[in-house]
């Protein structure tokens, strides 16, 4: 997802170097080294690995759709944590399918019954990660920094990540792209608020391609009723393609977002409306979204049932009717195998500090 940076933002060479380092910061904790695939009544979904490794000793297990209530407290002070880019309180998730933070997925299967609150001690690796020296602190000469920066301010990196200004003196500006809570242990109070359900039966699947998958995924993460998201590659002819292979444009894949949603909370039609909102006038471009060009950036709605195909076609026709003289290039096809992208692409903008809470309004910035 190589985007064009906004030159009006506070970006300079050291920030770019930190962003490059961040792009390769893979959350390796709690990862299972096995591979599996499953189907939600349509095209196969192939993952590179389960997102979390958890003991199967409670009432919930990997792949279950659960509703939980939780809080995070600083282990040393007992102060509650509230300033995060994900929701805290009553939330829904698919165990082991990303979003939130690793410790939440790892601990849900340890709950032995619904309605009982349990306390857990969480290591930094289970929450916001250990501090990474490659992400800062780093000092930038004043001559290379925008004027007027003050300690405590935030600046935007070229890939959408945020960095804090930690110090300004006569020699330069010190910035740190680590999460402010990196390296901090926490306590978590957690309970199941209802009995777990199998995600394969309780949720429906939808697949959308709208150019760079980072920004589109964040838009769906924010949508109420969307329980889980993953980015990957679909509609191609090569098995298990890598990001580099897809970027070459010869595997037939397009970058896409796969959404698991609760039809009792959000409709497929609403998800299509959100897709068109995000796509904007790019709908009239062939094999292009913004500055991203090539068949790997073609846009489409890829359906998993006859009902979805009917609704997607009706959605396309409605959009075309609003501008009949401008042909829409978006394709609507039955979904083929969806191959999950490499782990560092998953929830990329959330990991970089952009707000993934439900109904968040912060402008989504997809920089690479």
């Amino acid at each position: 997802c190589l985007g064009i940076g906004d030159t009006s933002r506070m970006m300079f060479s050291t920030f770019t170097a930190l962003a490059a380092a961040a792009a390769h910061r893979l959350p390796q904790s709690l990862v299972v080294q096995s591979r599996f695939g499953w189907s939600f009544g349509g095209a196969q979904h192939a993952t590179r690995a389960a997102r979390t490794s958890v003991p199967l000793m409670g009432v919930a297990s990997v792949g279950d759709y659960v509703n939980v209530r939780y809080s995070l407290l600083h282990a040393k002070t007992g102060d509650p944590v509230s300033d995060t880019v994900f929701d805290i309180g009553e939330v829904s998730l698919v165990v082991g399918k990303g979003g939130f933070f690793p410790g939440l997925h790892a601990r849900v299967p340890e709950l032995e019954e619904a309605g009982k609150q349990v306390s857990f001690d969480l290591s930094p690796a289970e929450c916001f990660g250990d501090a990474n020296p490659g992400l800062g602190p780093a000092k930038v000469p004043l001559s290379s920094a925008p004027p007027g920066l003050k300690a405590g301010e935030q600046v935007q990196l070229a890939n959408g990540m945020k960095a804090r200004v930690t110090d300004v003196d006569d020699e330069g500006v010190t910035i740190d792209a680590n999460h402010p809570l990196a390296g901090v242990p926490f306590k978590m109070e957690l309970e199941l608020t209802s009995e777990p359900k199998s995600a394969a039966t309780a949720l429906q699947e939808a697949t959308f391609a709208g150019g760079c998958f980072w920004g589109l995924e964040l838009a769906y993460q924010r949508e109420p009723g969307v329980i889980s998201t993953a980015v990957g590659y679909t509609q191609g002819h090569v098995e298990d393609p890598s990001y580099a292979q897809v970027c070459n444009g010869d595997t037939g894949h397009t970058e896409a977002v796969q959404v698991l949603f609760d039809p009792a909370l959000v409709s497929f039609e609403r998800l299509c409306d959100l897709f068109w909102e995000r796509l904007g006038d790019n709908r009239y471009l062939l094999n292009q979204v913004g500055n991203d060009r090539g068949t790997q950036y073609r846009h489409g709605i890829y359906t998993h049932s006859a009902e979805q195909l009917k609704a997607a076609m009706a959605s396309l026709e409605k959009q075309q009717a609003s501008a009949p003289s401008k042909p829409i290039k978006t394709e609507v096809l039955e979904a083929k195998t969806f191959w999950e992208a490499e782990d560092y692409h998953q929830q990329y903008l959330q990991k970089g500090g952009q707000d993934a809470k439900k109904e968040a309004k912060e402008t989504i910035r997809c920089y690479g």
Side-chain angles (χ1 to χ4, degrees), residues 180-210:
L181 298 175
V184 179
F186 292 90
K187 287 185 177 293
M188 177 172 65
E189 304 290 334
L190 174 66
E191 70 172 296
L192 281 169
T193 58
S194 61
E195 294 297 324
K197 304 175 184 178
S198 168
T201 56
L203 302 180
Q204 293 183 18
E205 191 173 32
T207 305
F208 302 93

Side-chain angles (χ1 to χ4, degrees), residues 15 29 45 69 77 83 119 121 126 149 161 164 198 216 250 252 262 271 285 318 333 336-337 367-368:
F15 285 11
S29 60
H45 177 122
R69 181 184 300 113
T77 66
D83 187 17
S119 296
D121 293 320
E126 293 178 279
L149 289 178
M161 291 185 69
R164 291 169 293 125
S198 168
L216 186 61
D250 55 8
D262 187 334
L271 299 182
L285 304 177
K318 178 182 177 181
L333 300 169
K336 295 183 179 179
T337 300
Y367 297 139

Side-chain angles (χ1 to χ4, degrees), residues 46-242:
T47 65
R48 297 189 179 275
R51 304 275 176 81
T52 54
S53 175
V54 292
L56 305 181
M57 56 188 294
V59 295
S61 59
V62 170
D64 279 348
Y65 170 32
V66 299
N67 300 302
V68 302
R69 181 184 300 113
Y70 80 99
S71 61
L72 278 178
L73 306 173
H74 288 268
K76 294 182 179 180
T77 66
D79 294 333
V81 176
S82 58
D83 187 17
T84 66
V85 295
F86 48 79
D87 289 299
I88 292 179
E90 295 195 21
V91 301
S92 302
L93 65 146
V94 177
V95 181
K97 282 290 292 172
F100 300 98
F101 57 97
L104 181 59
H105 290 269
R107 303 302 183 171
V108 167
E110 297 184 23
L111 299 174
E112 296 181 353
E113 60 183 288
K116 180 181 179 180
Q117 187 179 87
V118 180
S119 296
F120 295 100
D121 293 320
L122 302 180
S123 68
E126 293 178 279
C127 299
F128 300 95
D130 295 308
N132 182 348
L135 298 179
K139 198 160 192 173
V140 181
L142 285 176
S143 60
S144 300
L149 289 178
K150 299 178 180 179
E153 291 184 338
Q154 278 191 339
V155 289
Q156 193 89 29
L157 304 182
N159 67 341
M161 291 185 69
K162 296 174 181 177
R164 291 169 293 125
V165 177
T166 60
D167 187 53
V168 180
D169 58 27
D170 293 339
E171 297 181 356
V173 177
T174 302
I175 59 172
D176 192 347
N178 281 292
H179 192 283
L181 298 175
V184 179
F186 292 90
K187 287 185 177 293
M188 177 172 65
E189 304 290 334
L190 174 66
E191 70 172 296
L192 281 169
T193 58
S194 61
E195 294 297 324
K197 304 175 184 178
S198 168
T201 56
L203 302 180
Q204 293 183 18
E205 191 173 32
T207 305
F208 302 93
C212 174
F213 46 28
W214 294 339
L216 186 61
E217 181 183 35
L218 185 56
Y220 282 113
Q221 285 180 265
R222 294 174 172 183
E223 181 68 20
V226 170
I227 310 303
S228 177
T229 62
V231 299
Y233 319 114
T234 191
Q235 307 308 110
H237 54 79
V238 174
E239 292 193 359
D240 194 13
S242 68

Side-chain angles (χ1 to χ4, degrees), residues 208-216 220 254-257 275 278-279 282 288-290 292 296-302:
F208 302 93
C212 174
F213 46 28
W214 294 339
L216 186 61
Y220 282 113
T254 186
E255 290 192 12
V257 178
F275 167 77
R278 284 292 302 171
L279 192 60
N282 292 293
Q288 180 180 350
V289 175
D292 294 322
Q296 70 272 29
Y297 293 115
R298 69 188 184 275
H299 33 96
I301 302 174
Y302 305 108

